[in-house]
Amino acid sequence: MGRTASEKWPPRFPASRGPLPLRRAPPEGVLFHLGDGPAMKNGKKNVATVRCVTMKSMTNLSAPLPRIALVATGGTIAGAGAEGEPSAAYQAAVVGASDLIARVPQLARLAQLQTEQLLQIDSADFTDDKLLLLARRVAALCAREDVDGVVITHGTDTMEESAYFLHLTVRSSKPVVVTGAMRPGTALAADGPANLVHALAVATHPSTQGRGVLVVMNEEIHSARDVAKVHAMRLDAFVSPHGALGLVVEGVPRWYRQVARPHTTQSEFDITTLDALPLVGLVAGHGNMRAEIFDAWVAAGVRAIVYAGVGGGTVPSYLRGHLVALRDRGVWLVRATRTGAGPVIRNANADDDAHGWIVTDDQSPARARLLTALALTRHDDAASLQKVFLRY
Ligand SMILES: NC(=O)C[C@H](N)C(=O)O
């Protein structure tokens, strides 16, 4: 009967090799990574391969565990309700970072953890100030020589926004992984512990370097550029329109795609030089729209409004004049789509060139708000603002 590679631990070595220089058991799945492929499960040849790979990995396994900073910010992963109750009845952001870690002993096998409670909030309470605080902290941790990567626990409701902001503003190739939970730790089949272990497994793996900020949820690895929460309840709530980058298989990241757009070290944005973000509003498209909602944002002092338009970002004909006049009031209009996927095409269903409007390409309205704010910190003409959306 074929056994899995991880069942072959500890390997049987020739006596002449002496005692194994190991101080601990290897993280589950390391052998899988090194000797990947279904054929290794069966046959003598494959057993030999596994043993040889295992011996090669000895030096790595006896090296110190990676040093990971775990930054806790709250959310459902730190939530609690009555034990075993329906998962919707709970309070988010009540369990402290150290308790969270203490409940998952597997974490200590993967990394030397340095834990801090940066915030303890429901992620709906993330303001731009808190987002800047998080990004500054993550950048400072990444800059340290004694930190090999960062894992952030975060509420799922605005996880995609925070992750994207970090993806564009933290200038580091070290792994930065965001995770959370759809159910509190007290719920039946709570997902937080497994998500945390998987996030750490991704953050500690050498293959994760330089891939930008990642969201690890439900055994999937997503790029922060694309991922969105598309379900209010289910464990598989996180989806990327172009597909996940990879999976966590037997505790090890397995990659299937690359991120095509620039991020982190190639980004023009840098959290260490950002003091504040300009105010950008967001208006949802729907039938029977009213102009007053745009005026309310103008009165609040916005520099731009993202319009999450119907279909391909179509502006109702009865609002066109009002929205064209926004430019004269010093406000940029950025056309997005409320559909959840697909590009808004410049000059396709509106005269963007004539009106001085910007289109988001395929960026979601929530992330387009952040990209617009970042773009406005460096550019103030339509052509340059448009280029930012086509680049990132
Ligand atoms: N699943 C969650 O984490 C939802 C929670 N309301 C939050 O975003 O903080």
Side-chain angles (χ1 to χ4, degrees):
M1 287 295 291
R3 290 187 300 168
T4 64
S6 53
E7 282 171 327
K8 293 186 184 303
W9 191 263
R12 274 164 283 129
F13 287 86
S16 61
R17 287 194 166 264
L20 304 183
L22 279 179
R23 291 196 295 269
R24 59 174 189 283
E28 190 96 341
V30 164
L31 304 181
F32 250 109
H33 171 72
L34 293 167
D36 214 353
M40 66 187 276
K41 287 186 180 174
N42 300 300
K44 272 192 182 153
K45 183 168 170 255
N46 296 314
V47 171
T49 308
V50 172
R51 205 174 287 164
C52 153
V53 167
T54 303
M55 292 190 326
K56 264 202 268 166
S57 69
M58 295 287 296
T59 357
N60 283 346
L61 291 173
S62 60
L65 289 170
R67 297 152 304 176
I68 300 293
L70 189 136
V71 180
T73 71
T76 296
I77 193 166
E83 207 65 43
E85 285 296 301
S87 59
Y90 70 93
Q91 199 183 341
V94 289
V95 179
S98 39
D99 285 345
L100 212 60
I101 301 310
R103 291 175 186 182
V104 195
Q106 295 91 329
L107 298 173
R109 300 225 315 261
L110 291 172
Q112 302 175 57
L113 276 182
Q114 201 188 98
T115 305
E116 66 183 63
Q117 188 80 53
L118 184 69
L119 295 164
Q120 184 63 299
I121 58 172
D122 189 297
S123 74
D125 292 336
F126 256 93
T127 55
D128 285 353
D129 284 348
K130 292 193 171 78
L131 191 55
L132 289 164
L133 173 80
L134 174 64
R136 282 191 196 110
R137 186 63 193 141
V138 173
L141 288 166
C142 286
R144 277 169 50 169
E145 283 192 3
D146 62 347
V147 171
D148 298 316
V150 179
V151 169
I152 300 149
T153 55
H154 196 294
T156 57
D157 293 344
T158 63
M159 181 183 282
E160 66 210 60
E161 289 169 64
S162 297
Y164 186 54
F165 190 73
L166 299 173
H167 187 69
L168 292 178
T169 62
V170 174
R171 294 256 185 108
S172 173
S173 58
K174 290 184 185 173
V176 174
V177 179
V178 188
T179 194
M182 293 299 291
R183 296 176 182 165
T186 46
L188 289 173
D191 54 331
N195 287 343
L196 202 46
V197 169
H198 292 157
L200 209 59
V202 172
T204 50
H205 205 274
S207 67
T208 302
Q209 292 270 341
R211 293 183 191 266
V213 174
L214 303 167
V215 168
V216 171
M217 292 286 290
N218 198 37
E219 301 183 344
E220 293 185 333
I221 312 167
H222 295 269
S223 169
R225 183 193 180 269
D226 296 325
V227 71
K229 181 176 178 176
V230 300
H231 200 283
M233 200 195 91
R234 282 168 43 161
L235 299 185
D236 60 350
F238 282 79
V239 168
S240 296
H242 311 294
L245 296 183
L247 300 173
V248 182
V249 181
E250 300 276 331
V252 175
R254 190 175 291 184
W255 304 99
Y256 296 99
R257 297 176 204 284
Q258 301 275 13
V259 192
R261 303 286 181 105
H263 54 77
T264 53
T265 51
Q266 285 93 47
S267 171
E268 70 192 84
F269 310 110
D270 181 351
I271 188 60
T272 63
T273 62
L274 275 178
D275 292 330
L277 290 176
L279 187 62
V280 174
L282 174 52
V283 173
H286 54 87
N288 199 39
M289 289 193 73
R290 300 284 299 250
E292 290 93 325
I293 189 75
F294 292 92
D295 296 339
W297 273 121
V298 176
V302 286
R303 298 268 313 279
I305 298 173
V306 175
Y307 165 57
V310 293
T314 308
V315 170
S317 56
Y318 53 83
L319 283 185
R320 192 180 305 127
H322 201 77
L323 301 196
V324 168
L326 286 176
R327 274 312 301 127
D328 302 329
R329 301 163 82 185
V331 175
W332 295 100
L333 184 81
V334 181
R335 291 198 302 126
T337 171
R338 71 172 191 176
T339 61
V344 174
I345 298 166
R346 196 167 173 81
N347 298 320
N349 54 7
D351 203 346
D352 297 299
D353 285 350
H355 304 331
W357 291 347
I358 314 299
V359 298
T360 56
D361 188 12
D362 71 338
Q363 209 37 274
S364 73
R367 271 194 300 259
R369 178 187 78 82
L370 291 169
L371 186 52
T372 303
L374 284 171
L376 286 168
T377 64
R378 293 178 55 85
H379 308 284
D380 200 25
D381 66 276
S384 312
L385 291 169
Q386 184 59 73
K387 268 191 202 150
V388 166
F389 275 96
L390 295 173
R391 180 169 155 78
Y392 292 100

